[in-house]
Amino acid sequence: GNAYWVGRTSATLDVSCIEYLDSGNGCATYWGVVPFNLAPTPAWNLYFYHAPFAGTTAGNVVLSVSASRVAATQSIPGAALTNLMALVSLSTQPAGVLAISTGVATNFDGTLAITSGDFLQMQVWRVGGNANDTVNNSWDLYSVVMQTDVVT
């Protein structure tokens, strides 16, 4: 496929990430647990920790993101996926420089309601063939992090 797990080695740190190739579409699935102290009416968003691979200047990657929630006693992979972001451009830094980008909404709860303790399954597609995807090399996604309102 056009997205796969890789290890990167530098002089000071070894890291692993999902590498998305430039050509065509690449898809990877991410899982996370919704916090157990979730607020009664949570606003939630996604943060993407990413960087282009070596030899690339700053540009844009085009993503589409879908998700579903899986509650206890439900079958995995869970319900049909709900589209959260369709063909959205994220700005990148030059190769090897981390960028942290947010999702297109500050609150996905109106699109996909979540419940405390749910498993959240996310599919992240890089649409490398899209004209707005200007990173002409591989792109590394280090992490997808959920930010949500919680009760303290």
Side-chain angles (χ1 to χ4, degrees), residues 32-38 69 114-120 146 148:
V33 176
V34 176
F36 285 93
N37 60 339
L38 190 67
R69 57 180 280 273
I114 56 174
T115 303
S116 173
D118 283 349
F119 233 179
L120 187 67
M146 171 195 241
T148 187

Side-chain angles (χ1 to χ4, degrees), residues 41-67:
T41 54
W44 67 277
N45 199 353
L46 298 173
Y47 285 78
F48 303 88
Y49 291 69
H50 60 96
F53 190 51
T56 302
T57 58
N60 293 313
V61 291
V62 175
L63 302 182
S64 289
V65 179
S66 299

Side-chain angles (χ1 to χ4, degrees), residues 82-108:
T82 299
N83 185 29
L84 299 178
M85 298 168 46
L87 300 176
V88 172
S89 294
L90 298 184
S91 296
T92 67
Q93 297 294 320
V97 177
L98 183 68
I100 302 170
S101 303
T102 61
V104 295
T106 56
N107 184 5
F108 287 121

